[in-house]
Amino acid sequence: MASTSDDAVLDRADVLCRARGVKLTAQRRRVLAILCASPRPLGAYEILDAMREGTRTLAPPTVYRALDFLLEQGLVHKLESLHAFVGCSHPEHPHSSQFLICKTCGAVAEIEDEAIARSLGSAASMSGFQPQRRVVEVIGTCAGCAQKGR
Amino acid sequence: MASTSDDAVLDRADVLCRARGVKLTAQRRRVLAILCASPRPLGAYEILDAMREGTRTLAPPTVYRALDFLLEQGLVHKLESLHAFVGCSHPEHPHSSQFLICKTCGAVAEIEDEAIARSLGSAASMSGFQPQRRVVEVIGTCAGCAQKGR
DNA sequence: AAACAGTCGGATACAGTATAACGTCTCGCG
DNA sequence: CGCGAGACGTTATACTGTATCCGACTGTTT
Ligand SMILES: [Zn+2]
Ligand SMILES: [Zn+2]
Ligand SMILES: [Zn+2]
Ligand SMILES: [Zn+2]
């Protein structure tokens, strides 16, 4: 993330949670803020370190609980191939997106491609399979790094 | 896996490795055999336990080294969302497949869907992204379990 | 035969990721 | 006020994966 206005994202998250009758508590908001401020995905322990800035004493479960909540609410995504988390770029509507992960610079692009979703869905239904969660992560080199690297 | 003839898979793997000038050693063959005999993906430590059957004393690096080799040779795949491994169902030709993972019975189907591959490729090239590895895992309910569950 | 290089794998220790279990505090409600 | 639910602190522990060092074996060179 690290968008032009992270505060806006946080405020939108606030509104979303209120509308859903769930609480974006201080800890949860803090985790979301840290993720949104990072240009690359963060591991749970990196988030933990970031939250400890300023002599706070926190343990892993605190972070994992906040992450569980944010994942449930679709405010963050987990990148399985990296064991890391990113803020969602468009949490307003429920979605299942795909990720392009640059192994050179670490940047991650979240895309929402209709064609991928369709082909995934039809492959599943051909097998009589009922999808619940989709993990689609492409690891490679982003446009910027490909330029430099040549 | 747990196909009709696991030995056949092993023998084919042998031939493949010989053709490539690499060695399918006893340990590697053993890991592959264990994976092929299992109806569901196995974690590294489950493989380790299986290999210890009969008072053998083995440490994690042994299994991870064998898995690294088998992954490089395309004889097994890693399921990132499960931290587990499966034998490949068609290792003869290099491929990048997709997985349907039933969270009820634990069974995994490896599919190779041209449409998914195409849509993934075109989404990447639209972003100028150069894919190297593709992780596509759909978690849900398989046809069999959906039947029973209703 | 002796020396050597390369690969495989045994063994110990450790790093990184995630959760179980239990206690406390607070808030909203009857 | 007394109660129940949810959030969070705290400790300990489980699970997943690596770094490192060393010894055994194989095939090659001299
Ligand atoms: Zn998203
Ligand atoms: Zn890049
Ligand atoms: Zn395969
Ligand atoms: Zn099933």
Side-chain angles (χ1 to χ4, degrees), chain A:
Chain A
M1 298 275 292
S3 86
T4 47
S5 56
D6 297 337
D7 287 351
V9 176
L10 290 177
D11 290 342
R12 280 191 294 154
D14 244 330
V15 172
L16 266 175
C17 287
R18 225 181 302 267
R20 292 173 187 169
V22 296
K23 285 182 219 165
L24 187 65
T25 63
Q27 297 275 38
R28 292 164 178 174
R29 194 181 160 101
R30 188 118 185 266
V31 170
L32 181 56
I34 289 168
L35 279 177
C36 290
S38 166
R40 67 190 63 229
L42 296 178
Y45 280 68
E46 289 179 298
I47 297 171
L48 189 54
D49 287 343
M51 290 182 74
R52 277 170 174 157
E53 301 279 319
T55 66
R56 311 245 320 146
T57 162
L58 287 182
T62 299
V63 164
Y64 280 104
R65 282 192 285 237
L67 285 171
D68 285 345
F69 172 87
L70 295 170
L71 286 169
E72 272 169 22
Q73 298 303 320
L75 296 169
V76 312
H77 298 291
K78 175 167 191 179
L79 300 174
E80 295 288 353
S81 65
L82 297 180
H83 305 291
F85 303 84
V86 287
C88 175
S89 48
H90 44 292
E92 328 290 344
H93 63 115
H95 61 282
S96 137
S97 42
Q98 303 92 36
F99 299 92
L100 305 178
I101 303 171
C102 178
K103 66 192 302 186
T104 301
C105 67
V108 172
E110 176 177 359
I111 63 179
E112 205 173 343
D113 187 291
E114 233 343 280
I116 295 175
R118 260 198 315 273
S119 56
L120 231 50
S122 78
S125 65
M126 276 199 308
S127 314
F129 189 92
Q130 300 177 352
Q132 285 162 35
R133 183 180 163 221
R134 279 150 276 259
V135 174
V136 180
E137 300 173 15
V138 182
I139 295 94
T141 310
C142 76
C145 290
Q147 282 260 316
K148 284 181 224 158
R150 94 180 26 161

Side-chain angles (χ1 to χ4, degrees), chain B residues 13 16-24 28 32 66-77 88 90-95:
Chain B
L16 266 176
C17 287
R18 225 179 304 266
R20 293 173 186 168
V22 296
K23 285 181 218 165
L24 187 66
R28 294 163 178 175
L32 181 56
L67 285 172
D68 285 345
F69 172 87
L70 295 170
L71 285 169
E72 271 169 23
Q73 298 304 319
L75 296 169
V76 312
H77 298 290
C88 175
H90 44 291
E92 328 288 345
H93 63 116
H95 60 284

